[in-house]
Amino acid sequence: MAQTVDIVRRLVAPLTRTRWFRRLGPRVLPPVERVLARATGDRVQISALLVPSLVLHTVGAQSGRPRDVPLMYTPDGSGRAIVAGTNFAGSRHPAWTANLLAHPDAEITVRGRRMPVHATPIGDDERDAAWARIEAQWPGYRSYERDSGRTVRLFRLQPVRRER
């Protein structure tokens, strides 16, 4: 099964870097993901069919209101997740990255399991290694950074224990 997923990823990844996908993806995918999440109790995401995916639960940097966003993540090999604020190669950082900068203590839901995490921005000294790990999972993903004209914000999400 893993081999099939790898083959499909390699076929689909180039399509996600097309102008067509970058235009339609931000409009179509989030609403579809929300409907699917509600229908399945956050257990199924379209993106999770090809890559590890999670729902990030943050607090709005400006509004202070709860915000949820489905994201692709890359396991870092040490029980943590790496997330990249690519915003479909858009020129602006996605709002969830500002939320994490303002409120680094957040929660994620992975396969229906919700857990607290602490977000740490990945520094310049670790960026190339983080991107290499991400691109091993999703070939060509860093092209979003090059095409956006900005430095994409990368975060490491560290699970934390809930205090009782």
Side-chain angles (χ1 to χ4, degrees), residues 52-96:
S53 298
L54 56 81
V55 177
L56 175 67
H57 309 282
T58 60
V59 174
Q62 293 179 357
S63 71
R65 293 184 175 154
R67 302 288 186 214
D68 298 337
V69 61
L71 300 172
M72 175 184 109
Y73 76 92
T74 301
D76 79 346
S78 298
R80 300 171 296 196
I82 299 169
V83 290
T86 59
N87 204 21
F88 296 92
S91 61
R92 300 179 70 191
H93 293 288
W96 65 263

Side-chain angles (χ1 to χ4, degrees), residues 59-62 96-105:
V59 174
Q62 293 179 357
W96 65 263
T97 65
N99 297 347
L100 285 181
L101 291 171
H103 305 284
D105 292 316

Side-chain angles (χ1 to χ4, degrees), residues 22-127:
R22 289 179 183 172
R23 220 177 272 149
L24 290 179
R27 291 185 186 125
V28 174
L29 288 179
V32 171
E33 290 279 22
R34 280 192 294 275
V35 169
L36 191 58
R38 274 190 217 115
T40 65
D42 284 331
R43 293 194 195 293
V44 177
Q45 290 176 258
I46 292 171
S47 54
L49 299 174
L50 293 174
V51 292
S53 298
L54 56 81
V55 177
L56 175 67
H57 309 282
T58 60
V59 174
Q62 293 179 357
S63 71
R65 293 184 175 154
R67 302 288 186 214
D68 298 337
V69 61
L71 300 172
M72 175 184 109
Y73 76 92
T74 301
D76 79 346
S78 298
R80 300 171 296 196
I82 299 169
V83 290
T86 59
N87 204 21
F88 296 92
S91 61
R92 300 179 70 191
H93 293 288
W96 65 263
T97 65
N99 297 347
L100 285 181
L101 291 171
H103 305 284
D105 292 316
E107 292 186 329
I108 59 174
T109 299
V110 180
R111 290 185 295 272
R113 184 172 159 234
R114 192 164 173 147
M115 67 186 84
V117 295
H118 182 79
T120 306
I122 293 177
D124 291 342
D125 57 328
E126 298 180 89
R127 287 182 65 77

